[in-house]
Amino acid sequence: MDRLRAYEVFVTVVARGSFTKAADALDTSPANVTRYVNELEAHLRTRLMNRTSRRLSLTEGGEALFDRAKSILEEVAETEALATTASLQPRGRLRINAPLSFGSLVLAPLWPKFMAKYPDVELDIALIDRVVDIVEEGYDLAIRISRTTSGNHIARRLGRSQNLVCASPGYLAAHGMPEMPADLSRHPCLGYTYGATSDEWQFAGPGGTLESVRVRWALRANNGETARAAALAGAGVIWQPSFVIGEDVRAGRLVEVMPGYHMPPVDILAIYASRRHLSAKVRMMVDFLVDAFQDSPLVTGGMAAVGK
């Protein structure tokens, strides 16, 4: 039995969550995947995973082996990378998770530029607004819009986005302009389901004083474009980041309210697993995004490492 190959098959099965998906990722058959796992269990004389028709779960021995085998495979890859100058060029599949609106509006135009610069990298992009577990779900990199990060991962700040509170000119003509946070309690508000602020919006006022107001939701959606469409139609006051509604403000389709108050900006973070050596494809992607965001009208550039 090729134990290194068996470790690779086992780790891929766990990461992908099924034998069939692992076979696709490894360009082999499900039967071969099953054979490697069975041989590995026979060699170790222990059951590594419990299998049903719907899900897989690791045994205690399987959990211990997964962590160590994954580390061994990374060490082997890094050792091989040192042995050839060709490895200095990023190559292979790069799985990236990003929020839907940010991925569509900001990241999508950047991918062809990266592909032209690094033709040996295959991009696999998943736009999902929920926070994913990048290790368990098999991602190399996640882009998050957040003021916080996880202590289990490295986070590099790519830039910042300003949160804007706006309404359409028609809405303001009919309902009046909110002058301070307390005024928002009398207006229907439009927001984001996964927003950290929930129904309590916080603002920094004149002199840096902090004020908050509990708003009344007229619409809350798990996608910023839905809230934006409602705001443009005059349905209420919207809170969204500048990359979603910044162009509408510049074009006059939406008007910022409460000019003396503003919401704190949020960081745009690249999240990846803590490793002693970062793969070339992840490193090049993060550097590429930092450079790209320096000139973006929707994002304020920034490149500090903000967590490990």
Side-chain angles (χ1 to χ4, degrees):
M1 179 185 65
D2 183 344
R3 272 187 282 176
L4 190 61
R5 178 61 171 174
Y7 288 160
E8 181 184 22
V9 170
F10 170 69
V11 167
T12 305
V13 169
V14 177
R16 296 304 175 100
S18 83
F19 282 56
T20 300
K21 291 180 181 178
D24 290 340
L26 296 170
D27 196 24
T28 188
S29 68
N32 271 337
V33 170
T34 301
R35 177 174 61 83
Y36 271 109
V37 172
N38 288 341
E39 289 178 354
L40 185 58
E41 288 180 328
H43 172 75
L44 298 173
R45 298 181 181 179
T46 187
R47 190 170 186 82
L48 298 174
M49 59 181 69
N50 298 310
R51 288 158 260 182
T52 69
S53 60
R54 294 189 175 183
R55 65 188 298 270
L56 302 174
S57 63
L58 290 177
T59 64
E60 183 178 357
E63 290 179 351
L65 180 65
F66 175 75
D67 291 336
R68 187 61 185 140
K70 189 170 184 291
S71 178
I72 289 171
L73 291 171
E74 290 171 353
E75 289 289 340
V76 169
E78 290 163 4
T79 301
E80 291 177 344
L82 295 174
T84 171
T85 57
S87 67
L88 298 176
Q89 292 298 319
R91 64 181 68 250
R93 179 182 296 183
L94 179 58
R95 298 195 71 222
I96 300 175
N97 163 255
L100 181 56
S101 294
F102 189 77
S104 299
L105 298 172
V106 179
L107 296 176
L110 299 179
W111 301 140
K113 299 176 183 179
F114 183 88
M115 293 161 63
K117 191 172 183 180
Y118 301 106
D120 292 330
V121 176
E122 174 194 346
L123 295 181
D124 185 350
I125 312 297
L127 302 183
I128 307 170
D129 280 333
R130 67 175 174 84
V131 176
V132 303
D133 186 314
I134 60 174
V135 174
E136 289 207 358
E137 299 187 43
Y139 291 102
D140 300 293
L141 181 69
I143 309 301
R144 293 182 184 162
I145 316 297
S146 176
R147 298 192 188 100
T148 61
T149 184
S150 168
N152 296 325
H153 301 115
I154 292 177
R156 186 173 176 186
R157 183 183 295 121
L158 304 176
R160 282 187 163 179
S161 178
Q162 183 63 49
N163 286 322
L164 305 177
V165 181
C166 306
S168 70
Y171 176 87
L172 295 174
H175 300 278
M177 167 75 77
E179 300 291 344
M180 59 185 62
D183 295 341
L184 292 176
S185 63
R186 298 187 292 273
H187 291 264
C189 291
L190 318 167
Y192 182 54
T193 303
Y194 297 128
T197 57
S198 185
D199 59 349
E200 186 172 334
W201 294 6
Q202 296 182 332
F203 299 87
T209 58
L210 295 178
E211 296 189 30
S212 62
V213 59
R214 191 169 296 277
V215 301
R216 175 175 60 86
W217 291 114
L219 180 146
R220 183 162 37 182
N222 65 354
N223 171 251
E225 287 297 313
T226 300
R228 171 181 173 266
L232 291 172
V237 178
I238 188 175
W239 155 69
Q240 281 292 305
S242 56
F243 61 81
V244 175
I245 60 175
E247 291 293 345
D248 296 315
V249 173
R250 279 184 279 274
R253 294 185 292 267
L254 293 174
V255 177
E256 284 195 76
V257 302
M258 304 182 305
Y261 298 84
H262 64 273
M263 282 186 162
V266 289
D267 290 326
I268 300 167
L269 304 174
I271 307 289
Y272 47 93
S274 298
R275 294 174 183 166
R276 287 181 298 152
H277 304 287
L278 189 62
S279 67
K281 60 187 178 182
V282 173
R283 182 175 63 252
M284 293 302 182
M285 174 58 76
V286 173
D287 290 344
F288 170 82
L289 292 175
V290 168
D291 291 340
F293 289 171
Q294 296 296 323
D295 301 321
S296 172
L298 303 178
V299 173
T300 301
M303 54 189 300
V306 296
K308 287 190 178 181

